[in-house]
Amino acid sequence: MTYNEINSKMPSCAFEFLEDIRHLCEKEVNSPKVETNPKAITKKLKGFAKQYGACVVGITKLNESHIYTHRGRHEENYGEEINLNHKYAIVFGCEMNKEMINRSPMICEVIETSKCYVDASIVGMILSYFIRSLGYEARNHMDANYLVMPVLLARDAGLGDIGRNAILTNKIYGSRLRLGVVTTDLELEEDTYEDFGLEDFCNECKKCSFNCPSHSLSNDSKISNLGEYNWVIDHESCYTKWRYLGTDCGMCISACPFSQDLETIKNTTTFKNNKTLIDEALKEFKKKFGNRVFVPGNPPWLR
């Protein structure tokens, strides 16, 4: 639906580049090992990640729930069991431009998401190269080459929470983050999960599910009466819509009030047990955008 013989080449080229650098995610470790202080090296790594374009960085210990059991995606190793014995995950997010994402589901959206996949891959490559230069193991987990689950790691590393749209939602950037991960055996200092009341907010909001063009998101409460987790994506209906649109849609990202720099959200520490503030934020969203965010047309440089 959105295909353009020139503009559609832009995201395609980004993903082609990512495929070309995939083999660089794992390399030999230098020796000898440089002695480091966990507190000092953690500070350096977070600053280094931001120097290369990350807007948020967190660290958590790896556990089995973070790691895929078997490889997928690529024929050469499809189905192989994953054995990852790294201790820590450095998780970071690269911000997706609001005006581009607010043009979802048009071609601007996938140009921006693919660009930020590249941004995250570069941050991860540099961090992993740096850590290996100090004599420690490090692996970059990037588009089409994840052995871990970035969203779960980002939540546990304090970068946000998982909302109704099943995407990590950050207090500042909302769902407009593209995540990357570097795992390592380098000793680091951990961050902790922060609850800013996203579940309470999502229970009232439901904008992502109501705006989803494929009805792939649940309108129900997070946990059903039978104890089932409802806030998951119907992957088949979602991907079918992607194929029809020619983009990865993004409407659940733009529809999220946390993605839109609302003053009420910026000025609130937590929405937990605070329906009054949630209603105030939703009222501000409706005043600015109605029920749906959409910026029509392409930016001038794409016309």
Side-chain angles (χ1 to χ4, degrees):
M1 188 190 87
T2 64
Y3 179 77
N4 176 285
E5 62 180 356
I6 296 176
N7 294 345
S8 294
K9 301 291 186 183
M10 295 178 183
S12 298
C13 289
F15 288 117
E16 183 180 351
F17 168 73
L18 290 168
E19 178 62 25
D20 286 347
I21 66 171
R22 178 165 59 92
H23 68 285
L24 300 174
C25 288
E26 300 176 69
K27 295 188 73 176
E28 291 296 315
V29 177
N30 287 12
S31 60
K33 188 172 287 187
V34 178
E35 292 301 318
T36 62
N37 172 278
K39 183 175 183 179
I41 197 65
T42 296
K43 181 179 179 181
K44 289 180 190 294
L45 284 167
K46 288 183 175 181
F48 201 22
K50 290 183 178 180
Q51 173 70 15
Y52 270 85
C55 59
V56 291
V57 190
I59 292 169
T60 189
K61 277 187 178 177
L62 276 171
N63 61 54
E64 287 186 2
S65 68
H66 296 138
I67 304 170
Y68 287 111
T69 56
H70 296 78
R71 289 179 183 260
R73 190 84 173 232
H74 305 289
E75 284 189 24
E76 68 267 22
N77 53 20
Y78 191 93
E80 285 183 8
E81 187 175 352
I82 292 173
N83 294 299
L84 185 66
N85 58 4
H86 291 166
K87 186 176 181 180
Y88 292 97
I90 306 161
V91 196
F92 49 88
C94 295
E95 181 186 6
M96 295 186 286
N97 179 273
K98 183 160 65 75
E99 294 305 312
M100 293 288 277
I101 291 299
N102 284 355
R103 288 179 164 89
S104 64
M106 308 309 289
I107 193 70
C108 292
E109 183 273 345
V110 72
I111 290 173
E112 182 61 17
T113 57
S114 60
K115 181 261 185 188
C116 289
Y117 271 122
V118 171
D119 291 344
S121 75
I122 298 301
V123 174
M125 286 296 187
I126 295 298
L127 290 183
S128 59
Y129 271 59
F130 174 58
I131 294 169
R132 288 192 296 263
S133 77
L134 300 176
Y136 300 86
E137 292 183 11
R139 186 190 194 277
N140 181 25
H141 301 260
M142 51 170 262
D143 177 68
N145 198 18
Y146 300 106
L147 302 185
V148 295
M149 302 178 196
V151 173
L152 297 183
L153 285 165
R155 178 197 62 191
D156 293 349
L159 300 190
D161 210 344
I162 302 170
R164 186 180 294 276
N165 61 9
I167 300 171
L168 184 89
T169 299
N170 177 269
K171 174 70 167 51
I172 299 171
Y173 302 100
S175 301
R176 291 186 294 108
L177 286 178
R178 193 57 57 187
L179 299 173
V181 180
V182 171
T183 56
T184 181
D185 63 351
L186 173 64
E187 199 70 28
L188 300 169
E189 284 198 337
E190 295 176 72
D191 296 294
T192 56
Y193 163 73
E194 294 183 18
D195 183 0
F196 56 92
L198 183 64
E199 181 177 347
D200 290 11
F201 196 102
C202 290
N203 280 332
E204 297 292 330
C205 178
K206 304 182 182 180
K207 290 191 181 298
C208 60
S209 58
F210 287 138
N211 280 285
C212 176
S214 57
H215 308 290
S216 301
L217 300 174
S218 171
N219 293 326
D220 296 330
S221 59
K222 187 175 183 178
I223 307 296
S224 74
N225 293 332
L226 299 176
E228 298 171 331
Y229 186 84
N230 282 327
W231 291 359
V232 295
I233 300 172
D234 183 331
H235 297 103
E236 293 301 321
S237 61
C238 178
Y239 188 63
T240 298
K241 181 61 71 172
W242 285 22
R243 299 289 292 178
Y244 168 75
L245 292 168
T247 72
D248 42 20
C249 185
M251 289 176 69
C252 62
I253 298 176
S254 63
C256 177
F258 282 89
S259 297
Q260 298 301 332
D261 293 328
L262 299 181
E263 290 300 319
T264 308
I265 290 176
K266 288 192 288 186
N267 295 329
T268 301
T269 302
T270 181
F271 289 96
K272 197 169 184 65
N273 300 319
N274 201 329
K275 188 176 183 302
T276 301
L277 276 176
I278 294 171
D279 289 344
E280 187 177 328
L282 295 176
K283 184 178 179 181
E284 182 185 352
F285 182 95
K286 189 167 185 178
K287 184 177 180 180
K288 288 181 72 173
F289 306 111
N291 290 316
R292 163 81 172 100
V293 176
F294 183 68
V295 178
N298 289 329
W301 63 273
L302 269 180
R303 294 172 191 162

